[in-house]
Amino acid sequence: MPSSLALAILSVIQPAFAEDNVLPTITLTAANSQSDGDVPTTTQSLKSEQPLFKTAKSVSVVTKEQIEKKQAMNLTDAIQGVAGVISAPLGRRGADDFIIRGQLSSDAIYVDGLRQAQASDSPSNITGLERIEVVKGPDSMDFGQTAPGGIVNLVTKRPVQGDFNQLDLRYGSHNLRQIGVDTNHTIEGSDKAAWRLNANYSDQDDATDHVYFKNFYISPSYNFDLGDQTDLSVIASYNHKEYVRQQGLPVYGSILPNNNGQVSRHLFIGEPSVDPYLSDSMRIGYNLKHIFDDGWTFKQNFAVQNSRLDGQAVFINKSTANSSTITRQGRDQHYDDVNFSIDNNIAKTVELGNMQHHLMLGLDGMHDTRDIWNYNCTITALNIYAPRYANQDWCATKALRSDSVETTLKTMGVYFKDQVDVTDRLNINLGLRHDWASVDAKSNYNDNESSKSSQAFSGSIAGLYTYNDWVSPYVSYSTSFLPVTDVDVDGNVFDPEKAKQYEVGLKFQALDQRLQASLAWFDLTRFNVVSSDANGDKYQTGEENTQGIETELAVRILPNWVVSANYSYLPTARIVDNEISGYEGKRLNNVSEQMFNLNTRYQFNQGALQGWFIGAGVRSESKKSSYKYDYTLPGYALFDAEMGYDAGTWQASVNAKNIFDKEYYAGGLSNNVVTVGDERQVNFNLRYKF
């Protein structure tokens, strides 16, 4: 980011921190580097950039450097290890599946603060990301209609000042081959104009027979030079993915005994002749910012995205303890989503009554149309010990399912925020929002139509006290509002979901920003939950409650030694009320009570080993149980390691995940299906900068 823009940003926000000796340094660093390295200090997801130490809510940041060190291949890899997040509980099915604070939040994916679709049908690509931010708890104040557990905000890479080129090559287990390019160039004679291009191609088989993943991604972006007071960035992206779904294993013969013995963990329950899933996602948008002479700052964020997913999958219908065969159901699926999103706000810092008020007034909206065509296909049973596949078009005859529907979601919200610096140390954050939403559903099965309009107030209030330069305690209360696009057995659209959360926490930092840590307790309640019975019919009126503690730490102990760790404890994750008999009081699906993660990297900076680095990590989850299935998934601990050499212009490394090849289960789907965890993965990585 050019120095003139950094000074402009600083001139807007500095009055709020004029008497603080630490925080202006944080802001200046973020403005010039775009990234916080291994120890993130800021968040960019709450309508404006803020220091984490001064943010009265739980926000976890995964920086570009951390993504690279994890050797993450997808979004679930990248957010694995974030406190309060259970990543990929549904296995390697090719989708972005994750749970935040006990609530399934897979559809709550935002790009640069804008929701990308009603549902995450098409998987995300992380190649073009500067950082990933997980904002926890209900937060309609900042994001409009949101999931109660929290959201994942993908912050894209943008052009910066300076020319560079980077080439990444990777080869690894299961025949992994990957190449990536990141090139950035400034326009001669301009302090702001620049362009950037990110591209990536990967091809990998899976431990499961006949399963594979191929991906191509390209993203160009451009910064315009419109003067010192105006910034405009335009970014486009195209992501194509081809893959075969890994649909898990039968319960009997895996987690539960089968009279015929254990099944192979490499068993493919589908058909080799299956049509692979083809996912195409195209997106273009812009960020506009203008600073007026009187101190007001206007921002507009807009994007349009089209996503399409087509493919076939085979699901297990029934698994029994004394049978060598499973009954199956074939499915042919087609999803198409077109999304328009916009957010406008204007902000200014003013003095009122010896207090500084950081005021913001905004208006946002979204128009999203999602068209679903689902077909059932007749398919034969499969011997899971000696599989014989059809090797033919098993879905030539198919029947349209009743859940084939086109839904249009239209939303508009107006919001007002006031961050009040009551004293040099006490900050009060107030927010109020009103949303209007309409859902129109038309059945592709029988042409029935249904619609529902709704509106709601939501908001938040939080207080943070900077006790000293090391500790900031805070307390917050927030609510959310989420229109539901599902329909009941009669084709009627459900009522919107709502949620509320109480949170109390502490933020920690070191004076030189080499340490950032947090501790939070929360109580989250979700209302109007939609549930499915054994026949797949959906009902509403449910209520769920989760309570727990999360703590995170990132510290640079020495200039060449970094450690990060987190721990989550979720003793309460239960169904309070449900229309379906027998669900009440039981624990939510795939929610571990405890999770722990620890990672460290040490780089030698002198002597014969100068340039070499080593690293290690451990990630663990306790056992999982659920109201939906009659078995318990055992807990596990996985160990990772890395070693490499950094010569400055080039770097080579070897990374190993699950180095002891621990067999574990990622989650349960039903009383018939369990998903398997990842086997050992060893990658050789080469990076060249020029």
Side-chain angles (χ1 to χ4, degrees):
M1 187 176 292
S3 58
S4 59
L5 178 56
L7 293 175
I9 296 174
L10 192 58
S11 67
V12 174
I13 65 174
Q14 192 170 7
F17 307 107
E19 298 181 20
D20 195 307
N21 294 323
V22 178
L23 297 178
T25 303
I26 299 174
T27 303
L28 193 58
T29 299
N32 283 286
S33 68
Q34 277 199 325
S35 178
D36 288 325
D38 297 297
V39 184
T41 60
T42 62
T43 173
Q44 301 176 10
S45 293
L46 305 178
K47 303 293 184 182
S48 62
E49 188 169 288
Q50 299 180 20
L52 290 172
F53 186 65
K54 283 283 192 178
T55 303
K57 64 169 51 188
S58 291
V59 181
S60 297
V61 178
V62 183
T63 66
K64 175 183 62 178
E65 290 81 3
Q66 292 172 326
I67 294 173
E68 292 172 350
K69 290 179 180 179
K70 286 183 175 185
Q71 298 297 317
M73 294 289 295
N74 49 52
L75 179 58
T76 54
D77 283 348
I79 62 175
Q80 194 173 63
V82 172
V85 175
I86 298 173
S87 185
L90 304 185
R92 300 186 299 276
R93 68 186 189 108
D96 300 322
D97 298 312
F98 50 87
I99 295 170
I100 305 176
R101 290 191 166 176
Q103 299 291 340
L104 186 64
S105 305
S106 306
D107 295 335
I109 300 176
Y110 291 66
V111 179
D112 294 326
L114 298 177
R115 190 177 177 187
Q116 64 173 358
Q118 292 182 39
S120 58
D121 301 319
S122 296
S124 305
N125 191 290
I126 63 173
T127 300
L129 299 185
E130 186 68 28
R131 53 169 52 198
I132 300 170
E133 302 199 1
V134 182
V135 183
K136 302 168 192 174
D139 191 6
S140 282
M141 183 60 248
D142 290 299
F143 298 98
Q145 298 78 30
T146 61
I151 69 103
V152 171
N153 186 33
L154 312 180
V155 181
T156 55
K157 293 177 181 177
R158 299 299 169 99
V160 296
Q161 287 297 292
D163 295 346
F164 65 82
N165 302 281
Q166 180 173 300
L167 176 67
D168 290 274
L169 301 172
R170 183 178 300 171
Y171 182 79
S173 303
H174 309 302
N175 202 26
L176 168 64
R177 293 155 291 171
Q178 179 172 288
I179 181 172
V181 175
D182 185 1
T183 181
N184 185 96
H185 297 275
T186 55
I187 305 302
E188 187 176 354
S190 173
D191 292 331
K192 298 174 66 173
W195 63 270
R196 189 169 186 173
L197 180 69
N198 284 272
N200 179 276
Y201 175 78
S202 63
D203 185 353
Q204 184 178 24
D205 295 330
D206 190 84
T208 300
D209 297 335
H210 309 293
V211 174
Y212 65 88
F213 302 91
K214 297 180 180 180
N215 193 77
F216 171 72
Y217 174 86
I218 186 169
S219 175
S221 55
Y222 190 86
N223 279 356
F224 291 86
D225 189 347
L226 302 178
D228 292 340
Q229 293 178 272
T230 304
D231 299 322
L232 176 61
S233 297
V234 176
I235 184 167
S237 64
Y238 170 68
N239 186 33
H240 173 78
K241 190 168 186 176
E242 175 186 331
Y243 61 97
V244 174
R245 289 175 62 154
Q246 205 285 357
Q247 282 300 114
L249 295 176
V251 168
Y252 291 98
S254 58
I255 187 67
L256 296 180
N258 186 307
N259 295 342
N260 298 280
Q262 289 291 106
V263 299
S264 168
R265 290 178 67 87
H266 301 163
L267 172 69
F268 180 54
I269 66 168
E271 288 287 331
S273 57
V274 66
D275 287 344
Y277 276 85
L278 299 177
S279 169
D280 290 281
S281 181
M282 294 167 285
R283 181 183 179 90
I284 186 169
Y286 66 81
N287 293 113
L288 173 66
K289 176 181 177 180
H290 180 74
I291 302 175
F292 295 94
D293 292 335
D294 59 1
W296 285 97
T297 300
F298 172 74
K299 293 181 180 180
Q300 185 177 79
N301 190 6
F302 171 81
V304 56
Q305 177 170 309
N306 176 226
S307 301
R308 183 176 179 85
L309 180 70
D310 300 277
Q312 296 176 340
V314 176
F315 305 88
I316 298 175
N317 255 353
K318 190 169 183 60
S319 167
T320 57
N322 57 1
S323 176
S324 61
T325 62
I326 56 172
T327 58
R328 302 180 295 169
Q329 180 188 81
R331 190 85 55 85
D332 190 76
Q333 299 178 302
H334 307 270
Y335 298 84
D336 198 352
D337 191 284
V338 180
N339 179 284
F340 297 85
S341 299
I342 191 169
D343 180 28
N344 311 270
N345 62 67
I346 189 165
K348 186 179 182 178
T349 298
V350 299
E351 285 277 353
L352 292 173
N354 296 323
M355 294 183 290
Q356 286 189 328
H357 293 256
H358 308 279
L359 305 176
M360 179 180 289
L361 179 65
L363 174 70
D364 60 26
M366 183 180 75
H367 186 289
D368 188 281
T369 300
R370 183 175 185 240
D371 196 15
I372 301 175
W373 294 82
N374 267 331
Y375 299 86
N376 280 337
C377 307
T378 302
I379 190 168
T380 59
L382 180 72
N383 187 318
I384 56 178
Y385 297 95
R388 296 182 63 183
Y389 300 106
N391 292 319
Q392 61 185 10
D393 186 1
W394 50 271
C395 203
T397 303
K398 54 189 178 183
L400 186 63
R401 290 168 51 95
S402 60
D403 58 356
S404 299
V405 63
E406 178 182 316
T407 55
T408 298
L409 171 63
K410 292 178 283 188
T411 69
M412 184 177 69
V414 59
Y415 57 88
F416 174 75
K417 298 178 70 174
D418 186 5
Q419 179 182 333
V420 187
D421 295 335
V422 181
T423 67
D424 293 342
R425 297 188 177 276
L426 178 62
N427 306 98
I428 303 295
N429 297 324
L430 305 171
L432 183 63
R433 180 186 180 95
H434 191 269
D435 282 287
W436 296 266
S438 66
V439 179
D440 297 296
K442 180 181 179 181
S443 172
N444 293 323
Y445 179 74
N446 57 19
D447 292 330
N448 286 347
E449 297 185 16
S450 176
S451 63
K452 183 178 289 291
S453 296
S454 55
Q455 56 180 303
F457 282 99
S458 57
S460 63
I461 180 171
L464 181 143
Y465 183 75
T466 308
Y467 182 75
N468 54 33
D469 292 330
W470 290 80
V471 182
S472 290
Y474 70 91
V475 59
S476 71
Y477 173 77
S478 59
T479 61
S480 70
F481 163 75
L482 180 65
V484 177
T485 55
D486 283 331
V487 295
D488 62 19
V489 291
D490 298 317
N492 299 312
V493 178
F494 288 117
D495 293 329
E497 285 191 2
K498 295 185 178 181
K500 64 179 181 180
Q501 177 184 267
Y502 302 91
E503 182 172 323
V504 178
L506 295 169
K507 299 293 181 75
F508 305 91
Q509 71 170 3
L511 292 175
D512 56 4
Q513 308 305 310
R514 285 168 55 181
L515 180 147
Q516 293 285 327
S518 63
L519 173 66
W521 169 87
F522 65 89
D523 185 339
L524 167 63
T525 305
R526 177 185 180 189
F527 306 95
N528 293 342
V529 181
V530 176
S531 299
S532 300
D533 63 14
N535 298 319
D537 296 331
K538 295 180 179 180
Y539 300 88
Q540 194 175 38
T541 67
E543 179 181 332
E544 299 174 356
N545 177 256
T546 58
Q547 299 176 30
I549 296 173
E550 297 166 356
T551 181
E552 291 186 313
L553 168 71
V555 55
R556 185 173 291 277
I557 299 176
L558 297 172
N560 56 330
W561 184 17
V562 177
V563 175
S564 62
N566 67 68
Y567 171 73
S568 304
Y569 177 53
L570 199 66
T572 302
R574 65 189 179 94
I575 297 175
V576 178
D577 183 30
N578 199 283
E579 183 78 12
I580 301 173
S581 176
Y583 281 7
E584 292 183 11
K586 293 190 175 181
R587 193 167 179 87
L588 300 177
N589 284 341
N590 296 318
V591 179
S592 303
E593 187 172 285
Q594 299 184 72
M595 293 182 292
F596 173 74
N597 293 273
L598 172 67
N599 288 280
T600 182
R601 176 188 272 200
Y602 183 86
Q603 184 154 357
F604 298 92
N605 57 8
Q606 59 184 355
L609 294 178
Q610 184 172 353
W612 287 91
F613 60 86
I614 56 173
V618 57
R619 42 198 166 98
S620 65
E621 286 189 40
S622 62
K623 64 181 181 181
K624 303 175 184 178
S625 60
S626 165
Y627 69 94
K628 272 199 171 181
Y629 42 76
D630 300 325
Y631 52 86
T632 297
L633 299 176
Y636 61 86
L638 309 177
F639 295 87
D640 308 323
E642 64 168 338
M643 181 179 69
Y645 181 79
D646 189 348
T649 57
W650 64 272
Q651 176 181 297
S653 65
V654 176
N655 296 72
K657 295 182 177 181
N658 190 9
I659 57 178
F660 299 115
D661 206 19
K662 170 73 174 179
E663 294 185 355
Y664 68 102
Y665 297 97
L669 299 181
S670 68
N671 272 325
N672 297 305
V673 188
V674 63
T675 58
V676 292
D678 295 337
E679 295 187 5
R680 178 170 49 223
Q681 176 77 32
V682 180
N683 295 338
F684 175 74
N685 315 282
L686 180 64
R687 170 170 298 155
Y688 180 55
K689 300 178 181 179
F690 57 98

